[in-house]
Amino acid sequence: MAAQKINEALEHIAKAEKYLKTGFLKWKPDYDSAATEYWKAAVAFKNAKQFDQAREACLREAEAHENNKALFHAAKAYEQAGMMLKEMQRLPEAVQLIEKASMMYLENGTPDTAAIALERAGKENIDVCYRLIENVSPEKAVQLYQQAASVFENEERLRQALEMLGKASRLLVRGRRLDEAALSLQKEKSIYKEIENYPTCYKKTIAQVLVHLHRNDYVAAERCVRESYSIPGFNGSEDCAALEQLLEGYDQQDQDQVSEVCNSPLFKYMDNDYAKLGLTLVVPGGGIKKKSPNAAQDKARGPAAVGSHADEEEDEYSGGLC
């Protein structure tokens, strides 16, 4: 069966090459007919599980369509070539071709198809693409997500745009690209505010503040909270109260207060990448410890009390720890 399909594919390629030849009575190649034969060859190679040869046939089909000024069909062929690379686990090359196809769809005036192609390249429930996004090429994944978000936003498909932006923001945080993450989160929050999803705006504000504090930019973090007072319901919410407490602790270099806020359920049950920012947040200078009650009493009672307290501690351990 496989051998028969391979022979069938080779016959189609031979026909395609014949259509491309020129001569005394044929001055121009027949790109349209050649593209059709290359497509048939690609299908036959794919059925025979010869994915590399199918990819090559798709690329030749795309070239023929481009020479024929048929951008949409060329994009489709490039996308199919990318799918063949996915089958071979050649993920970076696959996403490069799918990205190229999406740009050609846009140029052709079909943004919906471009969005579908980009979504297919980065959709998490497709195992191969998931590995690409999370492990193989996170930088390329961020670019793809942002492009997809832009396409969806232009088409007023805001739910899909937010999904893509959210993935981009989390990958930027994971890669410690915090300046870009701050901008991406602001974009998310603006769209959530536009569609009046105010509770999610509060969560995005928390994420923004954590990112800004990890950038050591207290001013930007404070401004972010101040600007959020204009969001209906934010002032007086538990999110607002927690952020005010966090900023107070950070400003006073009180690591205990900062850690208490960041270990609260409100912060710990955020998306994992943002929760980690909270758990690893350290105030400038390493922070100061709160004074113990004994220290406060000793200060009030004077030097003699301090000496007495020290003697008590020494007596407590005079016999050794055991």
mmCIF file of all heavy atoms in Angstrom, residues 26 28 69 107 130 150 157 199 207 248 287 322:
data_model
loop_
_atom_site.group_PDB
_atom_site.id
_atom_site.type_symbol
_atom_site.label_atom_id
_atom_site.label_comp_id
_atom_site.label_asym_id
_atom_site.label_seq_id
_atom_site.Cartn_x
_atom_site.Cartn_y
_atom_site.Cartn_z
ATOM 1 N N LYS A 26 5.701 27.074 -25.827
ATOM 2 C CA LYS A 26 5.157 27.295 -24.484
ATOM 3 C C LYS A 26 6.120 28.208 -23.726
ATOM 4 O O LYS A 26 7.138 27.766 -23.198
ATOM 5 C CB LYS A 26 4.993 25.951 -23.742
ATOM 6 C CG LYS A 26 4.374 26.083 -22.358
ATOM 7 C CD LYS A 26 4.408 24.745 -21.622
ATOM 8 C CE LYS A 26 3.935 24.890 -20.199
ATOM 9 N NZ LYS A 26 4.103 23.649 -19.424
ATOM 10 N N LYS A 28 5.429 30.267 -21.076
ATOM 11 C CA LYS A 28 5.165 30.509 -19.656
ATOM 12 C C LYS A 28 4.811 29.202 -18.944
ATOM 13 O O LYS A 28 3.988 28.439 -19.439
ATOM 14 C CB LYS A 28 4.008 31.516 -19.508
ATOM 15 C CG LYS A 28 3.725 31.932 -18.082
ATOM 16 C CD LYS A 28 2.582 32.951 -18.030
ATOM 17 C CE LYS A 28 2.251 33.343 -16.597
ATOM 18 N NZ LYS A 28 1.117 34.288 -16.530
ATOM 19 N N LYS A 69 0.748 34.227 -8.094
ATOM 20 C CA LYS A 69 0.127 35.315 -7.335
ATOM 21 C C LYS A 69 -1.116 34.856 -6.568
ATOM 22 O O LYS A 69 -2.037 35.636 -6.337
ATOM 23 C CB LYS A 69 -0.259 36.492 -8.252
ATOM 24 C CG LYS A 69 0.855 36.972 -9.172
ATOM 25 C CD LYS A 69 2.056 37.472 -8.406
ATOM 26 C CE LYS A 69 3.148 37.981 -9.354
ATOM 27 N NZ LYS A 69 4.386 38.346 -8.642
ATOM 28 N N GLU A 107 -1.935 39.216 4.703
ATOM 29 C CA GLU A 107 -1.668 39.996 3.492
ATOM 30 C C GLU A 107 -2.769 39.788 2.457
ATOM 31 O O GLU A 107 -3.118 40.701 1.701
ATOM 32 C CB GLU A 107 -0.309 39.582 2.912
ATOM 33 C CG GLU A 107 0.165 40.458 1.763
ATOM 34 C CD GLU A 107 1.539 40.040 1.256
ATOM 35 O OE1 GLU A 107 2.209 39.233 1.937
ATOM 36 O OE2 GLU A 107 1.930 40.505 0.162
ATOM 37 N N TYR A 130 2.025 22.166 22.527
ATOM 38 C CA TYR A 130 2.228 22.503 23.934
ATOM 39 C C TYR A 130 3.705 22.421 24.287
ATOM 40 O O TYR A 130 4.254 23.291 24.958
ATOM 41 C CB TYR A 130 1.418 21.549 24.804
ATOM 42 C CG TYR A 130 1.599 21.772 26.288
ATOM 43 C CD1 TYR A 130 0.830 22.703 26.963
ATOM 44 C CD2 TYR A 130 2.546 21.050 26.990
ATOM 45 C CE1 TYR A 130 1.003 22.917 28.318
ATOM 46 C CE2 TYR A 130 2.733 21.245 28.337
ATOM 47 C CZ TYR A 130 1.955 22.171 29.002
ATOM 48 O OH TYR A 130 2.136 22.381 30.340
ATOM 49 N N SER A 150 -3.466 40.053 18.514
ATOM 50 C CA SER A 150 -3.705 41.241 17.689
ATOM 51 C C SER A 150 -4.748 40.968 16.611
ATOM 52 O O SER A 150 -5.650 41.779 16.364
ATOM 53 C CB SER A 150 -2.393 41.703 17.051
ATOM 54 O OG SER A 150 -2.589 42.824 16.234
ATOM 55 N N ARG A 157 -12.865 39.725 18.510
ATOM 56 C CA ARG A 157 -13.050 38.450 19.214
ATOM 57 C C ARG A 157 -12.216 38.548 20.489
ATOM 58 O O ARG A 157 -11.127 37.990 20.622
ATOM 59 C CB ARG A 157 -12.617 37.283 18.329
ATOM 60 C CG ARG A 157 -13.477 37.149 17.071
ATOM 61 C CD ARG A 157 -12.850 36.248 16.026
ATOM 62 N NE ARG A 157 -12.706 34.880 16.487
ATOM 63 C CZ ARG A 157 -12.103 33.924 15.771
ATOM 64 N NH1 ARG A 157 -11.608 34.213 14.562
ATOM 65 N NH2 ARG A 157 -11.998 32.702 16.236
ATOM 66 N N PRO A 199 -13.783 42.093 38.296
ATOM 67 C CA PRO A 199 -13.032 41.240 39.224
ATOM 68 C C PRO A 199 -11.707 40.735 38.640
ATOM 69 O O PRO A 199 -10.715 40.638 39.362
ATOM 70 C CB PRO A 199 -14.001 40.084 39.500
ATOM 71 C CG PRO A 199 -15.353 40.687 39.305
ATOM 72 C CD PRO A 199 -15.189 41.644 38.161
ATOM 73 N N ALA A 207 -1.156 41.054 39.808
ATOM 74 C CA ALA A 207 -0.045 40.532 38.997
ATOM 75 C C ALA A 207 0.885 41.666 38.568
ATOM 76 O O ALA A 207 2.120 41.531 38.616
ATOM 77 C CB ALA A 207 -0.597 39.797 37.775
ATOM 78 N N GLU A 248 2.661 48.939 51.705
ATOM 79 C CA GLU A 248 3.102 49.519 52.971
ATOM 80 C C GLU A 248 4.287 48.735 53.537
ATOM 81 O O GLU A 248 5.297 49.315 53.956
ATOM 82 C CB GLU A 248 1.951 49.520 53.972
ATOM 83 C CG GLU A 248 2.328 50.081 55.334
ATOM 84 C CD GLU A 248 1.203 49.918 56.358
ATOM 85 O OE1 GLU A 248 0.674 48.780 56.467
ATOM 86 O OE2 GLU A 248 0.866 50.901 57.019
ATOM 87 N N GLY A 287 15.159 43.488 54.270
ATOM 88 C CA GLY A 287 14.078 43.676 55.225
ATOM 89 C C GLY A 287 14.563 43.788 56.650
ATOM 90 O O GLY A 287 15.735 43.565 56.970
ATOM 91 N N CYS A 322 21.351 19.996 75.752
ATOM 92 C CA CYS A 322 20.741 18.703 76.076
ATOM 93 C C CYS A 322 20.421 18.578 77.553
ATOM 94 O O CYS A 322 20.060 17.521 78.002
ATOM 95 C CB CYS A 322 21.660 17.554 75.638
ATOM 96 S SG CYS A 322 21.956 17.548 73.848
#
